[in-house]
Amino acid sequence: RSILLLPGWLDSGAGHWQTRWEAAHGFQRVQQDDWQWPKRGDWMMRLEETLLADERPALLAAHSLGCLLVAAWAAHSQHTHRVQGALLVAPPDVARDDLPPQVTTWRPVPLPRLPFASTVVFSQDDPYCAPERAAAFAQAWGSGLVSAGPRGHLNAESGLGDWLEGLALLHAL
């Protein structure tokens, strides 16, 4: 099977667990045309194209806005059977008033139940999503819910390194 990495807004930098997984395990990052001003439809189309370019079933490892990409894509695609599962890490609450204008076009958060296994991983002190909201997303999506403790936005600044706990959650799907 293939493992696709779905970064969020501004992509994932050098110290990010997604970038480290890409380097260490050869997982494929889904490249977007515009990381600065993400357009939901464009991102969904790129995910669809990437999934259809490979015959193997896929696991998705999404971070931040990438989680909303998975939910939006799954609500519209006729190819969701190609996905075996999704690890949804640090989904952002785009309904908040303090978000940058680049991501407000992703409102509202898509909440249809996902047609494949999924796990939401959240942080107790994520600056972009309260734990209660992450739990509400997980419930709506039919996802398992895992707390990573107080680790910020679960990105490079969180000091996760190779994040073996996340890798184990991904493979458990």
Side-chain angles (χ1 to χ4, degrees):
R1 67 182 167 205
S2 66
I3 296 181
L4 300 181
L5 302 170
L6 306 174
W9 179 51
L10 303 178
D11 200 0
S12 293
H16 197 286
W17 57 268
Q18 285 182 319
T19 302
R20 295 171 72 109
W21 288 5
E22 182 180 27
H25 307 289
F27 300 163
Q28 180 184 354
R29 179 185 311 246
V30 175
Q31 292 290 347
Q32 299 294 345
D33 288 328
D34 193 344
W35 294 108
Q36 302 285 328
W37 289 88
K39 293 179 180 67
R40 182 167 24 191
D42 291 354
W43 281 33
M44 289 167 58
M45 186 175 65
R46 180 58 53 85
L47 173 55
E48 182 96 347
E49 291 168 352
T50 304
L51 277 166
L52 294 178
D54 191 330
E55 291 298 314
R56 298 173 295 170
L59 281 177
L60 307 177
H63 179 256
S64 195
L65 204 59
C67 300
L68 304 192
L69 167 60
V70 171
W73 170 82
H76 290 92
S77 177
Q78 297 179 3
H79 302 284
T80 56
H81 63 278
R82 303 291 299 269
V83 173
Q84 288 184 330
L87 184 66
L88 306 169
V89 181
D93 184 358
V94 292
R96 297 163 48 124
D97 293 330
D98 60 348
L99 291 184
Q102 292 93 323
V103 297
T104 57
T105 59
W106 285 70
R107 293 176 178 154
V109 172
L111 294 175
R113 187 175 185 84
L114 296 175
F116 40 77
S118 58
T119 301
V120 169
V121 182
F122 72 99
S123 168
Q124 297 288 344
D125 61 354
D126 188 331
Y128 305 110
C129 187
E132 308 77 54
R133 286 289 285 164
F137 298 156
Q139 183 173 12
W141 294 333
S143 306
L145 185 64
V146 175
S147 171
R151 310 285 289 268
H153 194 46
L154 300 174
N155 53 16
E157 289 74 41
S158 299
L160 299 172
D162 292 334
W163 198 34
L164 299 179
E165 302 93 333
L167 200 55
L169 289 169
L170 177 68
H171 288 302
L173 292 164

